[in-house]
Amino acid sequence: MTPLISIVAPLYNERESFGPLIERLNALMDKLPYPVEVVLVDDGSRDNTADLIRLTALSDPRYHGVLLARNFGHQTAVTAGMAAARGTEAVLIIDGDLQDPPELLEEFYAHIQNGYDVVYAVRRKRKEGVLKRFAYSTFYRILKNISYVDIPLDSGDFSMVSRRVVDIMNKMPEESRFLRGMRSWIGFKQIGVEYERSERVAGVPKYSFKMLRRLAYNGIFNFSEFPVKFIIRTGAFAIGIALIYLIQTLVKKYVFGTVPQGFTALLFVIILFSGIQLMALGIIGEYVLRVFFQVKGRPLFVVREEIKDGAAGAPESMITYK
Ligand code: UDP
Ligand code: MG
């Protein structure tokens, strides 16, 4: 039976949480009136997670196993799951450690049925250490300030997206993926639903500090031009300072006659040329940015609706490339 909804869960060395995960998902699917599939993606686990997925998917057709050839990282594993998902209406993305309660599926789906395309979960509070919480919250606030898309605060990958959003995300070929940013970039009607993030059922976090840092960089560099703008502005600022310094020195020299010889000219030249060099780097950066955004191959825009020949309807091609 073709599933209405796919639940995508990436798993990396999740041997300990596998049992509880399947139990919760079975209980959920048993009570839902429509067909649901669960896409379990093994992200190159080194424990027996892949075997567990294989056994589950072989014995229960509601489970759909995708075993990656190596560890590609969480964002890519979710991408693989979304590509494999067959749900005709929507895809629910959850973590495999049960931190995201799959039972919210019904509430999320109600929003999808009401015309929303993205229902993202907003963490009411985190049950992680103070330091991690602080790092997360700072990162999201910085990103919100410097990004050119509106990425909601305190929302992660836990979300439900409609079939058309899945199709669009599957057509976004960018290599360094920041799914929550891509999801926001697409647009349509999006809504946040608050929830309390649970603790991991078992095992330890699989995201290392390095992986988190990479994710943060992907967010900043894929969804903000700020780093390059910052170089240009700093350069312009230095040039401004140099000019003010020049004027001040000339005034001192010709009005008061109190300028030390040699030193002033040197300082002026250093500040001026540092500024010019920064500006030049920033200008090169602007070209690199343009190449970067072009190379990402994102569609230029996403069409929500088209009204033509006196009738309104979904556009024939949802995505229009250049
Ligand atoms: N995960 C993955 N590949 C990785 C790292 C993590 O598929 O390289 C999965 C992991 O198994 C879990 C989810 O991504 O289902 C979230 O990871 P984790 O719980 O470590 O992250 P946290 O909840 O600490 O942000
Ligand atoms: Mg987790």
Side-chain angles (χ1 to χ4, degrees):
M1 208 178 349
T2 315
L4 218 61
I5 298 175
S6 300
I7 302 175
V8 169
L11 305 174
Y12 178 54
N13 298 340
E14 297 291 2
R15 185 168 54 92
E16 292 106 328
S17 29
F18 195 84
L21 175 69
I22 299 302
E23 255 171 53
R24 285 267 290 274
L25 291 173
N26 280 342
L28 174 67
M29 285 194 284
D30 288 345
K31 79 176 203 243
L32 291 175
Y34 36 79
V36 171
E37 76 166 346
V38 176
V39 184
L40 298 173
V41 183
D42 172 57
D43 189 14
S45 296
R46 272 179 275 257
D47 63 4
N48 63 343
T49 302
D51 295 332
L52 294 170
I53 294 178
R54 187 182 296 112
L55 284 176
T56 311
L58 283 174
S59 61
D60 184 341
R62 295 176 301 181
Y63 286 88
H64 175 168
V66 176
L67 313 183
L68 299 184
R70 66 167 171 87
N71 179 243
F72 283 91
H74 172 251
Q75 299 284 299
T76 310
V78 173
T79 303
M82 289 175 80
R86 289 170 294 188
T88 51
E89 293 299 309
V91 170
L92 177 75
I93 296 156
I94 58 169
D95 276 357
D97 56 4
L98 286 175
Q99 283 198 280
D100 310 325
E103 292 76 17
L104 285 178
L105 182 144
E106 291 173 276
E107 191 184 338
F108 285 13
Y109 187 48
H111 287 298
I112 298 273
Q113 285 174 308
N114 283 333
Y116 285 95
D117 278 88
V118 173
V119 187
Y120 55 86
V122 180
R123 289 174 284 258
R124 206 174 294 130
K125 62 173 192 266
R126 281 184 169 269
K127 288 190 177 148
E128 274 122 356
V130 186
L131 208 66
K132 205 169 175 182
R133 280 208 317 255
F134 176 76
Y136 271 107
S137 118
T138 316
F139 168 70
Y140 280 117
R141 273 147 193 86
I142 292 177
L143 186 63
K144 191 175 173 61
N145 269 308
I146 65 173
S147 175
Y148 54 79
V149 295
D150 192 13
I151 301 176
L153 289 173
D154 302 318
S155 67
D157 294 320
F158 182 27
S159 59
M160 184 180 275
V161 291
S162 67
R163 173 40 68 185
R164 60 177 179 178
V165 167
V166 176
D167 290 342
I168 295 167
M169 285 177 83
N170 287 344
K171 283 187 184 161
M172 291 172 80
E174 54 204 87
E175 189 264 347
S176 51
R177 297 175 89 76
F178 186 66
L179 297 173
R180 55 203 82 163
M182 291 163 63
R183 192 179 70 200
S184 300
W185 177 88
I186 288 175
F188 294 130
K189 274 171 76 181
Q190 310 211 354
I191 188 171
V193 171
E194 279 202 2
Y195 84 114
E196 203 143 311
R197 190 160 164 86
S198 335
E199 277 171 86
R200 237 181 193 280
V201 270
V204 291
K206 305 301 178 311
Y207 252 100
S208 62
F209 173 72
K210 263 192 186 160
M211 289 156 98
L212 281 175
R213 191 175 55 191
R214 203 168 104 195
L215 184 66
Y217 281 180
N218 282 347
I220 290 172
F221 292 112
N222 282 342
F223 291 95
S224 171
E225 301 183 335
F226 178 78
V228 169
K229 305 282 183 216
F230 179 74
I231 300 179
I232 292 205
R233 282 175 210 155
T234 312
F237 180 72
I239 293 175
I241 295 281
L243 294 179
I244 291 171
Y245 185 62
L246 176 71
I247 294 168
Q248 187 205 29
T249 309
L250 290 178
V251 169
K252 269 191 191 159
K253 179 169 166 138
Y254 291 110
V255 182
F256 304 105
T258 54
V259 179
Q261 293 291 305
F263 171 77
T264 315
L266 198 62
L267 202 57
F268 168 70
V269 167
I270 288 174
I271 301 177
L272 181 70
F273 277 87
S274 307
I276 291 176
Q277 279 171 4
L278 275 181
M279 284 275 276
L281 277 179
I283 290 168
I284 294 173
E286 281 286 341
Y287 284 104
V288 174
L289 263 188
R290 280 160 176 69
V291 173
F292 175 60
F293 282 108
Q294 184 76 37
V295 159
K296 266 216 274 274
R298 276 188 201 161
L300 284 184
F301 48 81
V302 180
V303 180
R304 184 158 58 91
E305 195 181 344
E306 206 176 330
I307 302 104
K308 69 167 182 232
D309 304 331
E316 277 150 35
S317 69
M318 199 69 70
I319 311 178
T320 312
Y321 290 94
K322 308 140 258 231

